[in-house]
Amino acid sequence: MSQTLEYLTDPNGNPTAVVIPIDLWRQILPQEDTSLEAIAENIEDYCLRKAMDEAKLTPLLDRTQALKLLEDDED
């Protein structure tokens, strides 16, 4: 199931709301009363999982390419 957020806009194109898929909502905000710390941890876990999923799709760099990338970032 897709976990894509949808943005609602007014007639001028200004964002007015965000639609969050229910499965994502339940991951971040469980049904029971949850502390702010637990919500923050759930959001962090979601972001880390998403980053790891994206990283799996990214090609690895060899040593030369990685060093070049680091040198470019320093400029």
Side-chain angles (χ1 to χ4, degrees), residues 25 27-30 32-45:
W25 178 264
Q27 285 178 27
I28 296 172
L29 297 166
E32 69 274 358
D33 290 334
T34 305
S35 68
L36 287 178
E37 292 81 16
I39 293 170
E41 187 173 315
N42 290 346
I43 292 171
E44 182 179 357
D45 289 346

Side-chain angles (χ1 to χ4, degrees), residues 1 3 20-32 34 38-39 42-43 46 49:
M1 180 175 275
Q3 290 192 342
I20 301 173
I22 196 68
D23 58 327
L24 176 56
W25 178 264
R26 287 181 178 146
Q27 285 178 27
I28 296 172
L29 297 166
Q31 301 300 316
E32 69 274 358
T34 305
I39 293 170
N42 290 346
I43 292 171
Y46 168 77
R49 279 193 308 276

Side-chain angles (χ1 to χ4, degrees), residues 44-58:
E44 182 179 357
D45 289 346
Y46 168 77
C47 292
L48 288 173
R49 279 193 308 276
K50 186 170 180 170
M52 291 300 295
D53 290 343
E54 290 175 7
K56 289 177 187 176
L57 301 174
T58 304

